[in-house]
Amino acid sequence: MIDVSYSNIKNGLVKLICEELKTMLEKIPKEEQEETSAIRVGFITYNKVLHFFNVKSNLAQPQMMVVTDVGEVFVPLLDGFLVNYQESQSVIHNLLDQIPDMFADSNENETVFAPVIQAGMEALKAADCPGKLFIFHSSLPTAEAPGKLKNRDDKKLVNTDKEKILFQPQTNVYDSLAKDCVAHGCSVTLFLFPSQYVDVASLGLVPQLTGGTLYKYNNFQMHLDRQQFLNDLRNDIEKKIGFDAIMRVRTSTGFRATDFFGGILMNNTTDIEMAAIDCDKAVTVEFKHDDKLSEDSGALIQCAVLYTTISGQRRLRIHNLGLNCSSQLADLYKSCETDALINFFAKSAFKAVLHQPLKVIREILVNQTAHMLACYRKNCASPSAASQFTCEK
């Protein structure tokens, strides 16, 4: 999905994207034993309306179909929209060459955003397969459509109890859209190129909840940011990915999983749903110790993920983990994984930002850290001067 509004055409971004896609599409993931990828590709350009392209292999020229009804988005063609790249390569290259010229004289500055995601999801639904949307977008969606946003960058709210409003989405459109996307295995990755306020709290919700990624390049300048953007795009296109995943975490008696953090959606207390999962995604799980644990049998955790491969196979991956239990706090501190702790604190703070003032979250983090150190000092450190904190490796 390529935003072809005036600023994106003028600064050369659309031309850059189209040029690079010609080489990057050669690298879409494929199964190890296969010569070509089973993934199909499709193209939409948009400003305040959507343009779908028919790139069927037997066409001499790509065909454009315009959808102006952004309130009730539909997919105007099925056959020829999602195609095998190798088969339609010449038509696709033809299209990518034409797009920058097609919109060269456009003065359209207004854009839509939610209908773009809706269109991609509807296309995947119609094709009865999961998939991933790459959206290249640059401005606040102010055109009249679902998900329309206004500038609410109010500096007066910073460092007040109402600051959390700035981190919450403006409208519930994006939340319900994200849930629909996850239900249909549609992951969204967003490349943002804002030159002014763009409301990431709203636009970023769908990538966050669908196992996608958000890349942001403020005031994109071709000579400075080009390489970083292309590296990010290349890595994202090439990496291995699983679609439409459901994960469950099971434990032995004595403790249980109570909270989950990450690019996930949960409609109940046990099933962790992800529209897509790849090597850059992590799910952080908080466990609560609520009964006796045995030092003899230890604590057992099983993580099972059901997902769809890029060739459409449904697979199950299972990880089993056995942890030692100890009644000695010193053993616990020796075994602590600092990276995992920091990851957990960062993600729980990120989640809390939506509901509590930053000042309160900061205090909670400081108190938790101080409590851990005080507990170590009281139960594990050898006796020393009261003013001295000792730490053993």
Side-chain angles (χ1 to χ4, degrees), residues 162-194:
K162 289 187 176 177
E163 185 174 16
K164 61 189 177 191
I165 295 168
L166 301 176
F167 305 121
Q168 296 167 353
Q170 267 188 58
T171 160
N172 59 12
V173 166
Y174 293 103
D175 187 55
S176 57
L177 187 55
K179 287 174 180 168
D180 284 349
C181 282
V182 174
H184 295 101
C186 172
S187 175
V188 177
T189 281
L190 174 59
F191 292 84
L192 264 184
F193 307 89

Side-chain angles (χ1 to χ4, degrees), residues 374-385:
C375 195
Y376 177 88
R377 165 105 186 140
K378 181 180 173 185
N379 299 286
C380 310
S382 54
S384 58

